[in-house]
Amino acid sequence: MYKASTGAPNDTYRVAQVANHGLLTYPHRLNFYDAPPLFEVTAEEFETSAIHRLHILSEIETSAARNRTWDELKKVTAIQCDQHLPLGHNIDKTEDLDGERRRDYLSHFVLRLAFCRSEDLRQRFVKAETTLFKLRYESDLINERASFLNSRDFNWIPVDATEQKLYAKELNSPYFGKTEAERLAEKYYKVKWTRVPDLVERRKVFVKKGWAYVPSREQSSIVFHEFETHLQRALEMTAKLIPRLDEDTRLIPVLDNLSRAFLNGISSEWTSTADAGNSETIKAEQVDSLAKKHFPLCMRTLHDNLQRDNHLKHFGRLQYGLFLKVLGLSVEEAIVFWRKSFSRIADDKFNKEYKYNIRHSYGLEGKRANYPAKSCQQLLTPGTSDHGCPYRNYSPENLQTALLSAYSSQGLRSSDLPEIMSYVKSSHYHVACTRVFELTHSTDGISKGEGLGGYENVIHPNEYAARSIALAKMKEEKVKEEPMVVE
């Protein structure tokens, strides 16, 4: 192994010869991200790499909000990592191992730029990244983990045999039941006790004159604390330098969008083939039945208001219209639906004041842009619209009433409300919406913690509706395939 200078003081990339992969710029899956990336990237790669990592960090935060166990967290995070940011071992026959680690490296630093700008963002980023590091540390191969540890100076002092024998009683006291052979084979390292506060708190280490004697089995605590401290310092330093980017009109909007998404607990924009035109088109007369069975609360509320008042304000029409467009309502069917819904308005007024806007939202008028439907992140962002996310905007009393009114026929009970409201109270609005989906689709095979299936959380109203409709179709097909029993 040798070091290759990047041209910046103390900023080095390690290059290693690894079987099956030749020379690797990033020889380890584990990384402290010491040096900033000095390679060129496109604006698209800059943003997409960060969005992929945001999926994983958002899932980690969501798991904490849902009180998932460590094993459950490992499972759901592994799924997200495999899908969005795979990171193979050195012995894996991955074709682009260096490319995977390059994307991991880049995505970390992009999010570091986005999340360094406030104390709240920094704390949340450090917590999520440290958790991700712990998960990777546990899943790393023993020899590759050892290689990583040997590549860094953790400033720990190995305890020699004489000192270990001198304090044998104190060193062994936290670990009852160990055999004599195990006690003799155990290695210890000395560090300042402030570097392992978790072990001191749990009385897992012997402390003498400010030094904590850490057994090799607890060595990871030193590594995790070092990673956390290192990242905190790096974020504070980045925060001091970030004003230099204020004049960059390309990067600042991207960073703002990423940080808002993280604060709202949303990983990214939901995309689907429906954005380009849904092959499963729906008719105007189907909308009402679909709304009562498959729509999330935000769209269900807009639909109910439209049916009650025969009208919606501009932002409500825009939000609901784009949702129906992506769901599969053609422009012709949209005109039929809105004309029927606005039954109190004369034909001339409808054609002059509303028909143009409907066609415009489909890209058939004006600048002919293909407008996407509003995402959960956009609905959670305060703005001029009064038709945002009900979980955020409604009072607790009104929200509970709305939930029971909308979903009691689908299995939601008043006894379920305290759990949902606990997520709302902690500002995890997307988790509350996801939990409602689970409760109202339990008969479709969705269990608690599974989200939309595959542990995906709701990040877009159309995602909610599309998954609900798909589950209903699967259930219908299963019923058709079941053999008829004749008695």
Side-chain angles (χ1 to χ4, degrees):
M1 180 180 292
Y2 64 91
K3 296 180 180 180
S5 173
T6 61
N10 301 320
D11 289 351
T12 59
Y13 292 131
R14 296 180 183 274
V15 183
Q17 181 76 37
V18 179
N20 302 328
H21 294 291
L23 290 175
L24 289 179
T25 307
Y26 310 94
H28 308 111
R29 289 176 73 247
L30 300 174
N31 209 318
F32 267 46
Y33 308 99
D34 299 297
L38 300 178
F39 46 80
E40 293 185 358
V41 297
T42 63
E44 181 181 4
E45 185 182 7
F46 181 91
E47 183 173 12
T48 55
S49 67
I51 289 175
H52 286 312
R53 193 180 196 89
L54 198 57
H55 269 285
I56 300 168
L57 300 187
S58 294
E59 189 58 55
I60 289 173
E61 278 213 328
T62 297
S63 294
R66 304 197 71 164
N67 294 316
R68 285 178 174 143
T69 64
W70 183 252
D71 288 339
E72 290 173 336
L73 172 61
K74 286 195 292 185
K75 182 178 179 180
V76 298
T77 306
I79 293 172
Q80 292 294 322
C81 287
D82 290 342
Q83 182 177 353
H84 299 290
L85 203 65
L87 209 59
H89 299 282
N90 289 343
I91 64 171
D92 294 339
K93 295 182 179 180
T94 307
E95 292 184 3
D96 190 21
L97 189 65
D98 233 5
E100 288 181 354
R101 296 180 182 180
R102 178 184 183 274
R103 286 187 288 273
D104 173 71
Y105 208 82
L106 173 63
S107 64
H108 171 86
F109 276 96
V110 175
L111 292 187
R112 187 185 287 189
L113 285 174
F115 301 149
C116 72
R117 295 180 290 174
S118 75
E119 182 63 27
D120 178 45
L121 280 172
R122 289 196 291 270
Q123 289 180 358
R124 290 173 62 174
F125 182 64
V126 168
K127 186 175 181 180
E129 280 283 340
T130 303
T131 301
L132 178 60
F133 182 85
K134 290 178 180 179
L135 292 168
R136 288 177 172 175
Y137 188 93
E138 281 195 8
S139 65
D140 212 13
L141 301 178
I142 295 176
N143 61 326
E144 292 186 22
R145 184 196 305 160
S147 175
F148 166 75
L149 294 177
N150 291 333
S151 71
R152 299 189 62 86
D153 181 12
F154 287 96
N155 196 29
W156 52 44
I157 303 173
V159 178
D160 58 35
T162 303
E163 191 173 9
Q164 188 169 334
K165 185 176 180 180
L166 178 63
Y167 300 118
K169 181 179 179 180
E170 292 85 351
L171 294 175
N172 294 327
S173 61
Y175 303 96
F176 298 104
K178 289 172 58 178
T179 65
E180 182 67 23
E182 289 174 332
R183 289 197 296 268
L184 293 175
E186 188 77 82
K187 294 182 179 179
Y188 288 84
Y189 302 88
K190 285 197 302 186
V191 294
K192 291 294 184 181
W193 73 269
T194 53
R195 294 181 59 187
V196 285
D198 59 323
L199 296 180
V200 174
E201 181 182 9
R202 292 184 286 128
R203 300 190 177 188
K204 288 287 187 180
V205 291
F206 167 57
V207 179
K208 180 75 172 181
K209 295 183 179 180
W211 292 95
Y213 290 70
V214 182
S216 54
R217 68 175 63 191
E218 303 288 356
Q219 188 181 34
S220 60
S221 287
I222 305 175
V223 180
F224 300 156
H225 186 266
E226 187 74 12
F227 178 88
E228 184 176 347
T229 303
H230 177 84
L231 183 54
Q232 285 174 337
R233 292 172 181 167
L235 284 169
E236 291 169 0
M237 183 177 296
T238 306
K240 295 178 181 178
L241 300 175
I242 199 69
R244 299 182 185 181
L245 288 176
D246 285 347
E247 296 181 1
D248 195 318
T249 57
R250 299 168 301 169
L251 297 185
I252 291 300
V254 173
L255 298 178
D256 287 341
N257 186 57
L258 291 170
S259 60
R260 281 197 303 269
F262 193 57
L263 283 172
N264 291 330
I266 308 298
S267 52
S268 69
E269 297 293 323
W270 176 74
T271 56
S272 166
T273 53
D275 292 332
N278 196 327
S279 57
E280 295 290 333
T281 57
I282 60 176
K283 300 293 184 180
E285 60 267 20
Q286 294 177 286
V287 173
D288 189 58
S289 62
L290 288 173
K292 293 176 180 177
K293 296 177 182 178
H294 305 296
F295 286 10
L297 187 60
C298 53
M299 297 303 158
R300 177 68 182 270
T301 301
L302 288 174
H303 179 81
D304 290 346
N305 291 345
L306 177 61
Q307 299 304 304
R308 182 193 65 213
D309 303 331
N310 299 118
H311 192 266
L312 279 178
K313 294 181 181 179
H314 171 73
F315 286 108
R317 295 197 305 273
L318 178 63
Q319 180 177 315
Y320 192 44
L322 291 174
F323 168 81
L324 293 175
K325 166 193 166 185
V326 173
L327 194 65
L329 193 69
S330 67
V331 63
E332 293 81 10
E333 290 295 322
I335 293 173
V336 172
F337 170 77
W338 288 103
R339 182 66 195 95
K340 183 179 179 181
S341 299
F342 285 10
S343 57
R344 301 177 187 177
I345 297 176
D347 287 342
D348 287 345
K349 183 175 182 180
F350 178 83
N351 290 332
K352 290 180 181 179
E353 298 183 14
Y354 298 102
K355 189 174 180 178
Y356 175 88
N357 288 333
I358 296 170
R359 289 177 53 79
H360 187 276
S361 66
Y362 278 78
L364 300 177
E365 301 289 354
K367 63 179 182 180
R368 300 181 184 276
N370 183 24
Y371 296 98
K374 302 293 183 180
S375 67
C376 291
Q377 180 185 338
Q378 291 171 308
L379 300 185
L380 284 166
T381 302
T384 56
S385 174
D386 57 353
H387 300 285
C389 175
Y391 294 96
R392 177 172 185 165
N393 296 343
Y394 283 19
S395 68
E397 295 76 16
N398 289 344
L399 177 58
Q400 293 179 75
T401 300
L403 285 170
L404 289 176
S405 174
Y407 300 113
S408 58
S409 62
Q410 294 175 254
L412 186 70
R413 299 168 299 180
S414 56
S415 58
D416 298 319
L417 295 179
E419 181 187 5
I420 297 170
M421 298 309 296
S422 69
Y423 297 135
V424 173
K425 187 176 180 180
S426 60
S427 300
H428 291 99
Y429 309 111
H430 67 300
V431 179
C433 186
T434 303
R435 184 64 185 129
V436 169
F437 183 92
E438 292 171 350
L439 290 165
T440 54
H441 292 80
S442 58
T443 58
D444 299 320
I446 298 296
S447 57
K448 182 176 181 179
E450 194 177 352
L452 302 181
Y455 302 97
E456 289 282 350
N457 292 293
V458 178
I459 62 173
H460 199 293
N462 282 95
E463 180 189 31
Y464 184 113
R467 180 57 177 158
S468 180
I469 293 171
L471 287 171
K473 288 182 178 179
M474 290 170 58
K475 191 173 182 179
E476 290 175 3
E477 291 172 359
K478 186 177 180 180
V479 171
K480 291 178 182 179
E481 293 174 358
E482 291 179 352
M484 184 179 295
V485 178
V486 180
E487 296 183 359

